[in-house]
Amino acid sequence: MRVRLQDVAERAGVSAATASMVLNGKDDSISGETRARVRAVASELGYRPNVLARSLRSQRTRAIGFISDEIVTTPYAGAMIQGAQYVADEHDYVLLLSNTDYRPDVEKRTVEALLDRQIDAAVYATMYHRIVEPPTALGHIPTVILDSRPKDEAAFSWVAPDEFGGATAAVEHLADAGHRRIAMINDPMGPPAAIEREAAWRTVLETRGLDDGPDLVAHADSDAASGAMAAARLLEGDDPPTAIFCFNDRMAAGAYIAASRLGLSIPRDLSVVGFDNQVLVAEAIDPGLTSVQLPHDEMGRWAMEQVLRLLDDGAGPQGKRMPCPIVERGSVAPPGQL
Amino acid sequence: MRVRLQDVAERAGVSAATASMVLNGKDDSISGETRARVRAVASELGYRPNVLARSLRSQRTRAIGFISDEIVTTPYAGAMIQGAQYVADEHDYVLLLSNTDYRPDVEKRTVEALLDRQIDAAVYATMYHRIVEPPTALGHIPTVILDSRPKDEAAFSWVAPDEFGGATAAVEHLADAGHRRIAMINDPMGPPAAIEREAAWRTVLETRGLDDGPDLVAHADSDAASGAMAAARLLEGDDPPTAIFCFNDRMAAGAYIAASRLGLSIPRDLSVVGFDNQVLVAEAIDPGLTSVQLPHDEMGRWAMEQVLRLLDDGAGPQGKRMPCPIVERGSVAPPGQL
DNA sequence: TCGATTTACTAAACCGATTTAGTTCTATAT
DNA sequence: ATATAGAACTAAATCGGTTTAGTAAATCGA
C-alpha cells in the first residue's frame, strides 16, 4: 500500500493538518523541531502525495489537455509536443495528449473526457496551419491554439508560423543566388499556409522585378509523385525556370525526380527550395534539400508558456507569428549559363 | 460551475446515493419511476461525473501511463501510440503520454509523476527494439513493454517485431527475383534488431546456397550519407552485388545515391530492399522503395489489449512477436544480364 | 394478526489530501 | 493577578463522488 499523509503524521506524532502544512511550506507557525521531524519521516517512508486527493480539494489538477487532430500519430510535427511538454515539465504540469483524427464526434468525446478529468487548461493543436473553431466547451478554460488561428481571434490565444516571412526568405534566397525565373509548385487546396506562401512568392517576384507569368506556377497534391508531374510540366515549357520553390518537401522530392528524368542535375541545372524541413525527406535525396523550417518546437513552447500566463496572470488572449528560418543544404546554386 | 451529483439528486428529489446508483446501473432496488426521473434530470442538466472524485473513492483511475524514450517526439513510431490509444479509447481508458529522452533521471521523475496520479497500469515503449529494464516502481502495477524485450521475461509482458521473419522475407523476396549476390548494409552498433536482421539474411544465403563472403557486408551509421558510402564500397568491388538489403530505409536512400553516382539504375542494375517502411523516405525517392514494415500499429494495440488482460483477468506476463510484412514498391527486379 | 421479508430509499462513512476555525499553553503587558 | 497576544498545534469541514449499513413502509406467510 502507498504511504498516506496520515501515516507520516502518525509516525511523526503530529496531526495530518500539521504534516500537510509542513510539507507544503505553509509552516510559519510550526516549530523548527516538528518541521524537521515531519520532513524526515516523509522522506524515510518515501511519502508521495496522492494527486487525485490534492486536486479534488484544491480544484486544480496541474494537468493540461493537448488536443490534436493527428499530430501525435503522424511523423510531422512531434516537435510541437516536445516543446510544449518541455515547458509543462519545467512548471510541474502534466500534458494529457489526445488525437481526434479530424472526427468531430471523437473531438467532442475527447474534450469531454479531458474536462471530466478537470484539466486546468487546454492546447488545441493542428497538423496544418488553418482556421479552426475549437469546441465551445473549451471556452470555459484557458485555451491556446497551436499551429492554427481561431475564427474569432478575441476568444482564443494562438500561435502560428510566419508563412509569409518564411516563404519570402526562401524566394529571396533564390533571387540572391541570381535566379530570375523562379517557379512555384503549390497545393491548390488553399489552406492559409498555401495562400500565404504563394502571396510571399509573388510579392518577391514583384519587388525584385523578376520574371512572372502563368507558366511559372504549377499545382499539385502534397506528395512526391504529384510534385514530379507538376515539375515536369514546368521544366518542359519553352522557357523553363531555373529554380523552383515548392509548397512542401515531398513535392520538392518530386521535383528532384522530374529533374533526374529530364537529365537535369540539381543544383547545377536547377535550384530547389522546399518547405517544412522534413529531415527524413530532405536528407534522403541528393543533394540535400534546402528548406524552410516550421518552428514546431518554438511554437509548442510558446503555446504552453501562454497557457501558464493565462493561468497565472489572468492575461487576455494573444496571437503570435513565429519566424520560419531557412535550413540550407545543397539544392541551391547560381543558375547555369544557358 | 459544473453540475454535481448533488445538484442532480436535489432536482430529482432523491439522495445523492440514489442518484449515484441509478447513473451507475446499480439500480436493482430503485423504482422505475425514480430511475427515469434521475436519468432525465441528469441529461437535462448535462451532468458529468467528476473523475477525480470517482477515482479517489474507487481506487481506479482508468488511466494508463505511456512511457516512451522518444516516440512521441520523433517521426518514426507514432503508429504505436495510435494503436494503443485506439484500444484504450474503446475501453474508456485514457493514455497519459510522456517522454524521457533516454535520461534516467527524467524517467524516474516521470514514472513517479504517473504513479502519483494513480495510473492503473503502464506501457513502457521504446523507439528501437532493444533489451530494457523498466524502473522497479513499475513492477507494482501491470506493465507491458512495447517494441522491446525485458531483461527478465518473467517480470513483464512484452511485444516486439519479428525482425528475423521480416528480414527473411525481404531477402527471400530478392532471391525469388533471381538474385544470387545479395549484400547487406547493417548498423554495427548491434541492437537486437540489427543482430536478428543480419542473422536472417545470412540464414537465407545459406539455405538457398547463395553467394556469401565478407565483400557482401558493409557497416554504416543509420543515415543516408553513411549508407551511400557503404553502398559505394560494395558496388565498387570486383564482383559487385546485384541486390542490397539495408538495415533501414535511410541507408537504402543512401544506396540510391551511391547507385546514381555510379551510373547504375534502380532496379535495372541494382535491387534494393529497406526496413522500417518509412513512408516519407520510401516515397521521396525514385523508384519507390520496397521495404519491410514494422507493425507499429498492431504492436500498440496488442500492448494495450495485454494491459487490459492483466487488469481484468489478473493473467500472467506474456511475450509476443509481431510479423513484419513486406511493402512492395519499385526497387526490386530480376538482375540484369552482365 | 403478528413477525419476517422485500422494496425503495437515505444517512453516514470513506477515499486522501487541504484549509479554516479553534484550542492549549506560554509569555508579556497592565 | 489578570487580561491579551502570540506560538504551536489539532479537530473538523471540505472537495465530489461510491458504498455500506440501516430505516420505514408495504407485502407476505402461517
Side-chain angles (χ1 to χ4, degrees):
Chain A
M1 269 302 91
R2 263 178 92 100
V3 177
R4 295 163 309 151
L5 181 63
Q6 193 56 244
D7 303 323
V8 173
E10 276 167 23
R11 190 88 115 86
V14 297
S15 70
T18 303
S20 170
M21 292 171 131
V22 169
L23 297 175
N24 288 301
K26 304 207 160 83
D27 48 7
D28 299 344
S29 61
I30 308 281
S31 74
E33 199 198 335
T34 303
R35 226 180 283 192
R37 194 151 27 90
V38 169
R39 278 203 245 274
V41 170
S43 85
E44 178 197 337
L45 299 184
Y47 168 72
R48 308 223 97 225
N50 180 322
V51 173
L52 295 184
R54 191 210 291 273
S55 297
L56 179 59
R57 176 65 228 238
S58 66
Q59 303 286 62
R60 305 166 82 291
T61 54
R62 300 193 83 81
I64 311 288
F66 189 103
I67 301 135
S68 92
D69 41 26
E70 53 163 354
I71 293 171
V72 175
T73 52
T74 53
Y76 302 100
M80 288 201 287
I81 299 174
Q82 188 160 36
Q85 206 163 48
Y86 183 85
V87 174
D89 262 22
E90 259 187 337
H91 292 83
D92 262 318
Y93 275 85
V94 161
L95 246 44
L96 307 190
L97 304 187
S98 58
N99 246 250
T100 67
D101 285 321
Y102 296 99
R103 288 166 44 193
D105 55 320
V106 175
E107 177 173 282
K108 186 158 177 291
R109 278 212 338 261
T110 301
V111 169
E112 278 173 356
L114 289 171
L115 291 173
D116 290 349
R117 281 172 190 275
Q118 315 292 119
I119 51 171
D120 292 341
V123 172
Y124 187 88
T126 63
M127 191 62 240
Y128 297 110
H129 178 182
R130 50 196 173 95
I131 306 294
V132 295
E133 241 187 312
T136 51
L138 287 180
H140 303 313
I141 57 175
T143 299
V144 177
I145 294 172
L146 174 50
D147 199 28
S148 274
R149 282 172 291 137
K151 205 164 177 182
D152 174 8
E153 298 217 357
F156 296 99
S157 289
W158 57 270
V159 54
D162 178 9
E163 313 275 359
F164 194 93
T168 299
V171 182
E172 284 184 337
H173 181 62
L174 289 167
D176 288 346
H179 293 275
R180 298 198 49 83
R181 293 189 61 74
I182 304 173
M184 175 165 190
I185 302 180
N186 201 7
D187 184 331
M189 292 310 290
I195 292 171
E196 294 181 18
R197 292 178 200 175
E198 184 164 336
W201 165 75
R202 200 169 296 277
T203 302
V204 175
L205 296 193
E206 279 169 23
T207 312
R208 297 277 188 119
L210 304 178
D211 289 5
D212 199 346
D215 59 330
L216 287 177
V217 201
H219 288 327
D221 295 336
S222 288
D223 59 71
S226 179
M229 288 173 58
R233 253 176 281 138
L234 292 171
L235 295 170
E236 284 166 344
D238 293 336
D239 188 4
T242 60
I244 304 182
F245 170 50
C246 301
F247 171 69
N248 72 19
D249 291 347
R250 291 154 77 200
M251 289 168 166
Y256 274 55
I257 294 172
S260 159
R261 288 183 182 156
L262 291 168
L264 300 174
S265 164
I266 296 172
R268 201 193 57 203
D269 309 314
L270 178 71
S271 289
V272 177
V273 175
F275 212 112
D276 289 356
N277 189 36
Q278 206 105 77
V279 176
L280 279 184
V281 174
E283 294 187 349
I285 55 186
D286 186 44
L289 176 67
T290 292
S291 184
V292 179
Q293 180 165 9
L294 289 171
H296 286 133
D297 188 80
E298 290 81 356
M299 291 196 298
R301 284 170 189 260
W302 190 92
M304 196 59 215
E305 281 159 3
Q306 176 66 8
V307 160
L308 297 176
R309 244 171 270 138
L310 293 173
L311 283 171
D312 294 351
D313 317 341
Q318 257 191 68
K320 166 96 177 166
R321 287 285 191 163
M322 199 64 81
C324 301
I326 286 193
V327 176
E328 291 185 45
R329 294 197 179 82
S331 60
V332 174
Q337 291 72 12
L338 297 182
Chain B
M1 272 298 94
R2 262 177 93 98
V3 177
R4 294 163 310 150
L5 183 62
Q6 194 55 245
D7 303 324
V8 173
E10 275 167 24
R11 189 87 112 85
V14 297
S15 70
T18 302
S20 170
M21 293 172 131
V22 168
L23 297 176
N24 288 301
K26 302 205 161 84
D27 48 6
D28 299 345
S29 63
I30 307 283
S31 73
E33 199 196 338
T34 304
R35 226 179 282 190
R37 193 150 30 90
V38 170
R39 278 204 243 275
V41 170
S43 84
E44 178 195 337
L45 299 184
Y47 168 71
R48 306 224 99 223
N50 181 323
V51 172
L52 295 184
R54 191 212 292 273
S55 297
L56 179 59
R57 173 68 226 238
S58 65
Q59 303 288 64
R60 306 164 82 295
T61 53
R62 300 193 83 81
I64 311 289
F66 189 103
I67 301 135
S68 93
D69 42 25
E70 53 164 353
I71 295 171
V72 174
T73 52
T74 53
Y76 303 100
M80 289 201 285
I81 299 173
Q82 188 161 37
Q85 207 164 48
Y86 183 86
V87 174
D89 262 23
E90 261 187 336
H91 293 83
D92 262 318
Y93 275 85
V94 161
L95 246 45
L96 307 190
L97 304 188
S98 59
N99 246 250
T100 68
D101 285 321
Y102 296 99
R103 288 167 45 194
D105 56 317
V106 176
E107 178 174 282
K108 186 160 178 292
R109 278 212 338 261
T110 302
V111 168
E112 277 172 355
L114 290 171
L115 291 173
D116 290 349
R117 280 173 192 276
Q118 315 292 117
I119 51 171
D120 292 340
V123 172
Y124 187 87
T126 64
M127 190 63 239
Y128 296 110
H129 177 181
R130 51 195 173 97
I131 307 293
V132 295
E133 242 186 312
T136 50
L138 287 181
H140 303 313
I141 57 173
T143 299
V144 176
I145 293 172
L146 174 51
D147 200 27
S148 275
R149 281 171 293 138
K151 207 167 179 182
D152 175 7
E153 298 218 356
F156 295 99
S157 291
W158 57 270
V159 54
D162 179 9
E163 314 273 0
F164 194 92
T168 299
V171 182
E172 284 186 336
H173 181 63
L174 289 167
D176 288 346
H179 293 275
R180 299 197 51 83
R181 292 189 63 74
I182 304 174
M184 175 164 190
I185 301 180
N186 201 7
D187 184 331
M189 294 310 291
I195 293 170
E196 293 181 19
R197 291 177 199 176
E198 184 164 335
W201 165 72
R202 202 168 293 279
T203 302
V204 174
L205 296 192
E206 279 169 22
T207 311
R208 297 277 187 121
L210 304 178
D211 289 5
D212 199 347
D215 57 332
L216 288 177
V217 201
H219 288 327
D221 296 335
S222 288
D223 58 72
S226 180
M229 290 174 56
R233 255 176 279 135
L234 291 171
L235 294 170
E236 284 166 345
D238 292 337
D239 188 5
T242 59
I244 304 182
F245 170 50
C246 300
F247 172 69
N248 73 20
D249 291 346
R250 291 153 77 199
M251 290 168 165
Y256 273 55
I257 294 172
S260 157
R261 288 180 182 159
L262 291 168
L264 299 173
S265 161
I266 294 173
R268 203 192 55 201
D269 309 314
L270 179 71
S271 289
V272 178
V273 175
F275 212 112
D276 291 356
N277 189 38
Q278 207 105 77
V279 177
L280 279 183
V281 174
E283 294 187 349
I285 55 186
D286 186 45
L289 176 66
T290 293
S291 184
V292 178
Q293 181 166 10
L294 289 171
H296 286 133
D297 187 80
E298 292 81 355
M299 292 196 297
R301 283 170 190 259
W302 190 92
M304 197 58 215
E305 282 158 3
Q306 177 67 8
V307 161
L308 297 176
R309 246 172 269 137
L310 293 173
L311 283 172
D312 294 351
D313 318 340
Q318 258 190 68
K320 166 94 179 168
R321 288 284 192 164
M322 201 62 82
C324 302
I326 287 193
V327 176
E328 291 187 44
R329 294 195 178 84
S331 62
V332 175
Q337 289 74 10
L338 298 182

